[in-house]
Amino acid sequence: MNPSLLAGLNPEQSQAVTLPHRSALILAGAGSGKTRVLTTRIAHLISSGAVSPHGLLAVTFTNKAAKEMVTRLSAMLPINTRGMWIGTFHGLCNRMLRAHHREANLPQTFQILDSGDQLSAIKRVMKQLNVDPEKFIPRELQNFISGSKEQGLRAHEVEAYDPYTRRKIEVFAEYDAQCQREGVVDFSELLLRCYDLLSRNQQLREHYQERFKHILVDEFQDTNPLQYRWLKLLAGENNALFAVGDDDQSIYAFRGANVGNMQELLRDFHVENVIKLEQNYRSHGNILDAANALIANNRNRLGKNLWTAENGGEQLRVYEAPTDVEEAKFIVEEIQQLKREGVNLTEMALLYRSNAQSRVLEHALVSAGLSYRVYGGLRFFERQEIKHALAYLRLMENTDDDNALLRIINFPTRGIGARGIEQLQESARINNTTLWDAAARAGGKVSAFVALMETLRAGTRELPLPEIMEHVLHHSGLRANYESELATPAKKREAEERLENLNELINAATLFVHENEDDSLTAFLTHATLESGEHQAGDSDDALHLMTVHSAKGLEFHTVFITGLEEGLFPHQNSVDNGEVDEERRLMYVAITRARRRLYMTFAQSRMLHGKTNYSMVSSFMRELPEPLLLWLSPRFVQRAPSFSSPAYSGPAYGGATYGKASPAPFVMPSSASRDSGALWHVGQQVFHQKFGEGMVTDTEGSGNEGRVQVNFKRAGSKWLSLEYAKLEVI
């Protein structure tokens, strides 16, 4: 054994690295040095003679992680890492299929379809089978096929619930047959084909089981059912599976990840060694104490408690803003102050639960002249659904805009194919006219599109800007297009985000009208174009990071802002309704543990939704954080809202109620009070009732025993309660 390999490891890390030949689970907390442990384990096995460089297999989830592992290994040992089996699930399966293409019933030069090529192949099958693309959306079929394969299911193994599903299965089966004829595979097929190969070929399976005595897996909590089954096949009964993961950071259920694989590993491999890496090398103590207190509320955890040799550090800064605009303004001011203190923009991150939240933040950053980049996503005005909506608006304003017309003439799909568009372009060229003029002379489905645009223009002529947005989103079919995708499990999350972004476009128009004297559509479109191109930071520029919490996993920053901490937003209402609060809490845990030195948590009493003011309750996660760890930077502002009988009321949202414009009436909310203690009730107070649970005060009438209070409860809805018998407590 090479003693230098263990230098600098803490006792738990050293124990994990030097484990004997048996399966183990390394429960690696955030910032606990899991990559170092995994890489050092490989180096230890090789240097001690337990295995040759080619006798082990290490699986990661990204090519970047695999490359980093190889780089670190090269620095530890004087070995040639070329040819070692270190890579992603897809990469390793591709390698195995190449080596055994005949046994896998594939040509030696089989090609891999990317997402775009796969979609094109599915469209060809649909045309061959006369499948209506308006009834069966090609991208939905693509997700259906890939999702089935990731569950380990072939077409004949998918249950046909109804005629609609049976038709999709027919496309699935013919698509697979077409791929086989053409000698191509998609990404999902790589893993499934490799699993099938090992399942049915005992000689090959035993060969790899004999070769790979040690199998190491990174980010094990993110494995899906098929990936775990593949690992079990390779490991057999005698090999050691060394799995590194953190059940508290399992946040990808929507991609098929199964956190239950960790419990199954303990049972299937009779794991006696669960080593917990709890010492954190990233964050100050107060940040870790907050994360520990939060995640302790989750059920069925394997359990661990992060700690650090560092001091407690600063308290977590909490800011409650009266509105989402004021929340963004506060964040910008804090960023500017941090810059003056010497913290680079690139060391700061703004995290949000939903992509739609970025629009208000981006607007504030652009107004302040601060450079930023959206990590793992697009800036608000560059997102597909927003560009579609703006294209409708641009064509309404200027029918000579050929680019806008080409973008939406067949979106949502209306049966105008590529050939029809080519004919339109040829007609415009021959007659030296715009595409709109050519379309006005055309017939069939093109003329129906022209009629739609004329109807949109006529229907919005006298409307204010936010109502123009709402009218176009509804009558163009854009909103209905994404709503139709909600029924497809593989598309549901993406469709929800796109719908949220479209709703945020209405909010953008409302804010634009409020801030500018010119509320014309032309002015707004100019504003959108300028914001989409302003302050686009280059890769090497000092720029702030904006990202969803999902995108932030694996990253760390000096300062982190977690924004929009309101019930129904974070935790997201869809997750609450689906009983997935534990995963939302894990997501909050990930957000907190991204911060090294300073953490801000912000929320707003009111937020724009569909162009109207929405009153929200603070996230339930905030109440799970120990009060001594928090530093409140603001009094708790609320705004007087109209009663539920107001015509502006439009139903519950984000756990609160939606209202029209309200005049502010700020006051400092008491931190703890009850009717029995003589406290006064105020609109906006968050309260608790023994029978109805948590809610928010939305109206009051009278005082004393003769008065009553109206509360919108999260679960029980809106109720009027007598002050004499209400027995409410302020949260």
Side-chain angles (χ1 to χ4, degrees), residues 185-439:
V185 297
D186 56 46
F187 278 104
S188 300
E189 181 68 21
L190 282 171
L191 185 59
L192 183 54
R193 182 71 66 108
C194 191
Y195 175 79
D196 288 344
L197 172 64
L198 294 174
S199 296
R200 69 172 185 269
N201 193 317
Q202 180 181 351
Q203 182 179 0
L204 200 60
R205 181 171 67 251
E206 291 177 350
H207 163 76
Y208 281 108
Q209 288 174 348
E210 181 64 27
R211 176 174 181 175
F212 298 133
K213 292 296 185 182
H214 291 269
I215 299 173
L216 304 96
V217 189
D218 191 15
E219 302 285 10
F220 185 77
Q221 77 280 351
D222 293 336
T223 54
N224 65 31
L226 180 58
Q227 288 165 340
Y228 181 52
R229 287 161 58 189
W230 183 77
L231 289 168
K232 285 202 297 182
L233 268 184
L234 277 176
E237 297 181 359
N238 302 314
N239 294 342
L241 184 61
F242 184 90
V244 181
D246 183 3
D247 57 335
D248 290 334
Q249 295 189 76
S250 179
I251 59 174
Y252 296 123
F254 66 93
R255 293 181 185 170
N258 178 26
V259 67
N261 285 348
M262 301 189 85
Q263 296 283 2
E264 290 191 30
L265 171 72
L266 299 179
R267 292 192 300 268
D268 295 343
F269 288 86
H270 311 291
V271 173
E272 299 175 359
N273 298 290
V274 178
I275 298 175
K276 299 179 181 181
L277 305 184
E278 298 174 298
Q279 183 174 0
N280 177 282
Y281 295 91
R282 176 187 299 160
S283 307
H284 275 161
N286 285 339
I287 293 171
L288 299 181
D289 289 345
N292 289 330
L294 175 88
I295 203 65
N297 291 279
N298 265 9
R299 303 156 294 175
N300 303 319
R301 296 175 61 228
L302 293 173
K304 64 182 182 311
N305 204 59
L306 297 178
W307 63 276
T308 179
E310 298 264 5
N311 57 35
E314 303 174 348
Q315 289 175 292
L316 283 59
R317 289 163 161 79
V318 182
Y319 183 79
E320 179 181 24
T323 68
D324 52 345
V325 175
E326 289 298 317
E327 177 191 33
K329 180 180 177 183
F330 163 78
I331 290 170
V332 165
E333 291 172 350
E334 289 297 303
I335 291 169
Q336 291 171 326
Q337 179 59 35
L338 284 163
K339 275 193 67 180
R340 288 191 287 270
E341 294 173 6
V343 182
N344 293 329
L345 288 177
T346 192
E347 278 292 293
M348 295 182 254
L350 272 62
L351 308 184
Y352 35 80
R353 174 62 181 83
S354 171
N355 267 313
Q357 292 171 251
S358 77
R359 202 272 311 165
V360 175
L361 297 170
E362 288 186 56
H363 178 71
L365 293 170
V366 169
S367 299
L370 291 170
S371 294
Y372 69 93
R373 64 174 65 91
V374 178
Y375 183 91
L378 297 171
R379 296 155 71 95
F380 180 78
F381 285 110
E382 295 172 350
R383 292 168 191 163
Q384 178 203 86
E385 60 279 9
I386 299 303
K387 295 184 78 169
H388 285 328
L390 293 177
Y392 275 98
L393 298 168
R394 284 164 46 199
L395 193 60
M396 284 166 49
E397 278 290 279
N398 175 20
T399 56
D400 292 344
D401 192 335
D402 284 356
N403 286 332
L405 184 145
L406 286 171
R407 185 175 190 89
I408 60 174
I409 190 171
N410 197 40
F411 194 92
T413 179
R414 47 180 62 92
I416 303 173
R419 180 58 184 151
I421 294 174
E422 289 174 4
Q423 291 174 342
L424 201 63
Q425 291 174 310
E426 181 65 12
S427 174
R429 186 189 65 79
I430 292 172
N431 294 292
N432 195 27
T433 65
T434 64
L435 289 177
W436 177 263
D437 290 335

Side-chain angles (χ1 to χ4, degrees), residues 78-120:
I79 61 172
N80 183 0
T81 56
R82 292 190 65 183
M84 290 186 67
W85 285 67
I86 298 176
T88 64
F89 280 98
H90 291 111
L92 294 173
C93 286
N94 172 61
R95 183 172 176 178
M96 196 172 290
L97 291 174
R98 297 284 178 191
H100 308 286
H101 61 90
R102 290 190 183 88
E103 294 89 339
N105 194 24
L106 287 170
Q108 185 174 8
T109 57
F110 72 84
Q111 298 299 305
I112 301 172
L113 300 176
D114 63 19
S115 180
D117 291 335
Q118 183 190 23
L119 185 61
S120 297

Side-chain angles (χ1 to χ4, degrees), residues 327-609:
E327 177 191 33
K329 180 180 177 183
F330 163 78
I331 290 170
V332 165
E333 291 172 350
E334 289 297 303
I335 291 169
Q336 291 171 326
Q337 179 59 35
L338 284 163
K339 275 193 67 180
R340 288 191 287 270
E341 294 173 6
V343 182
N344 293 329
L345 288 177
T346 192
E347 278 292 293
M348 295 182 254
L350 272 62
L351 308 184
Y352 35 80
R353 174 62 181 83
S354 171
N355 267 313
Q357 292 171 251
S358 77
R359 202 272 311 165
V360 175
L361 297 170
E362 288 186 56
H363 178 71
L365 293 170
V366 169
S367 299
L370 291 170
S371 294
Y372 69 93
R373 64 174 65 91
V374 178
Y375 183 91
L378 297 171
R379 296 155 71 95
F380 180 78
F381 285 110
E382 295 172 350
R383 292 168 191 163
Q384 178 203 86
E385 60 279 9
I386 299 303
K387 295 184 78 169
H388 285 328
L390 293 177
Y392 275 98
L393 298 168
R394 284 164 46 199
L395 193 60
M396 284 166 49
E397 278 290 279
N398 175 20
T399 56
D400 292 344
D401 192 335
D402 284 356
N403 286 332
L405 184 145
L406 286 171
R407 185 175 190 89
I408 60 174
I409 190 171
N410 197 40
F411 194 92
T413 179
R414 47 180 62 92
I416 303 173
R419 180 58 184 151
I421 294 174
E422 289 174 4
Q423 291 174 342
L424 201 63
Q425 291 174 310
E426 181 65 12
S427 174
R429 186 189 65 79
I430 292 172
N431 294 292
N432 195 27
T433 65
T434 64
L435 289 177
W436 177 263
D437 290 335
R441 295 191 300 270
K445 294 174 180 177
V446 173
S447 65
F449 168 72
V450 172
L452 169 65
M453 293 305 304
E454 295 288 7
T455 301
L456 290 177
R457 186 184 292 108
T460 57
R461 191 167 288 124
E462 303 299 327
L463 294 180
L465 187 58
E467 292 183 29
I468 290 176
M469 300 292 174
E470 178 61 50
H471 185 92
V472 170
L473 293 180
H474 177 72
H475 292 281
S476 67
L478 273 178
R479 183 173 281 147
N481 175 76
Y482 295 117
E483 286 173 345
S484 70
E485 297 178 350
L486 295 174
T488 305
K491 291 287 291 180
K492 182 179 180 183
R493 184 174 180 272
E494 179 183 337
E496 288 171 347
E497 288 198 353
R498 294 194 189 282
L499 287 166
E500 288 176 358
N501 285 335
L502 290 178
N503 291 335
E504 188 61 29
L505 185 61
I506 302 173
N507 299 342
T510 303
L511 181 63
F512 180 79
V513 172
H514 177 74
E515 292 183 343
N516 297 273
E517 295 182 4
D518 187 351
D519 63 352
S520 68
L521 179 55
T522 299
F524 177 77
L525 291 172
T526 300
H527 158 78
T529 302
L530 293 175
E531 284 222 348
S532 67
E534 286 276 327
H535 301 282
Q536 181 62 52
D539 291 340
S540 60
D541 295 340
D542 182 33
L544 192 73
H545 298 275
L546 271 66
M547 66 189 76
T548 64
V549 183
H550 281 101
S551 297
K553 186 172 178 294
L555 304 177
E556 59 181 80
F557 303 92
H558 175 281
T559 298
V560 169
F561 294 81
I562 308 175
T563 66
L565 281 167
E566 296 137 35
E567 196 69 9
L569 188 55
F570 198 0
H572 200 282
Q573 192 62 47
N574 292 334
S575 297
V576 173
D577 293 342
N578 294 330
E580 298 168 352
V581 175
D582 280 6
E583 176 142 341
E584 288 289 298
R585 191 176 284 108
R586 292 195 291 268
L587 197 57
M588 180 66 174
Y589 176 84
V590 167
I592 291 173
T593 54
R594 297 312 94 195
R596 292 199 301 267
R597 294 295 176 263
R598 182 174 292 187
L599 178 63
Y600 290 85
M601 295 178 290
T602 67
F603 57 96
Q605 283 283 350
S606 65
R607 189 173 293 274
M608 294 293 290
L609 184 69

